[in-house]
Amino acid sequence: MSILSSSSISGDKVVNRNGENLGEIKDLMIDLESGHVVYAVLEFGGFLGMGSKLFAVPLSALQLDSPDHQFIFDQSKEKLENAPGFDKDNWPDFSDRMWGSDIHAYYGVSPYWN
């Protein structure tokens, strides 16, 4: 079992299986009723924070790589570039289960509430 603080995860690098950098974790979204950490908010693209996009990635789609202090996200850069994203001033309603089901389906994982 791995237990980490949110502050230790924030800023962690996310790579795909080919080692390509997919960005870094900016935040975690927690379902307070169930206690589940549902999404990691991933920042990808841009340069020095300019022009980057944020993505809600189901935590179940990420695999912890403890030795390298990073997460592995088994998706291509192209898949992430085409994913539904948002900007820092317009976050989605993370409590919307329909939206959440669509995000989980996009990444090929099942929501914990199903």
Side-chain angles (χ1 to χ4, degrees):
M1 171 169 21
S2 296
I3 299 176
L4 300 169
S5 71
S6 60
S7 61
S8 71
I9 292 172
S10 183
D12 275 4
K13 187 168 140 178
V14 178
V15 299
N16 62 18
R17 296 231 178 260
N18 296 329
E20 295 176 298
N21 185 5
L22 297 180
E24 70 176 47
I25 295 176
K26 287 306 212 185
D27 215 334
L28 297 175
M29 303 308 292
I30 302 165
D31 178 341
L32 295 178
E33 289 179 15
S34 70
H36 284 92
V37 177
V38 186
Y39 303 102
V41 176
L42 178 66
E43 182 177 40
F44 174 71
F47 180 70
L48 299 175
M50 302 296 293
S52 62
K53 249 175 110 174
L54 299 173
F55 300 90
V57 175
L59 195 63
S60 59
L62 298 172
Q63 179 185 1
L64 178 63
D65 177 8
S66 292
D68 292 325
H69 198 71
Q70 64 185 8
F71 286 86
I72 298 172
F73 185 33
D74 200 12
Q75 302 290 329
S76 68
K77 276 188 172 185
E78 293 76 24
K79 177 91 171 182
L80 187 57
E81 287 168 348
N82 293 314
F86 55 99
D87 66 47
K88 64 182 173 113
D89 297 321
N90 294 301
W91 287 50
D93 178 1
F94 286 94
S95 64
D96 180 347
R97 292 273 170 103
M98 182 93 91
W99 175 86
S101 292
D102 290 345
I103 294 297
H104 280 77
Y106 184 83
Y107 294 117
V109 295
S110 296
Y112 72 88
W113 60 81
N114 282 351

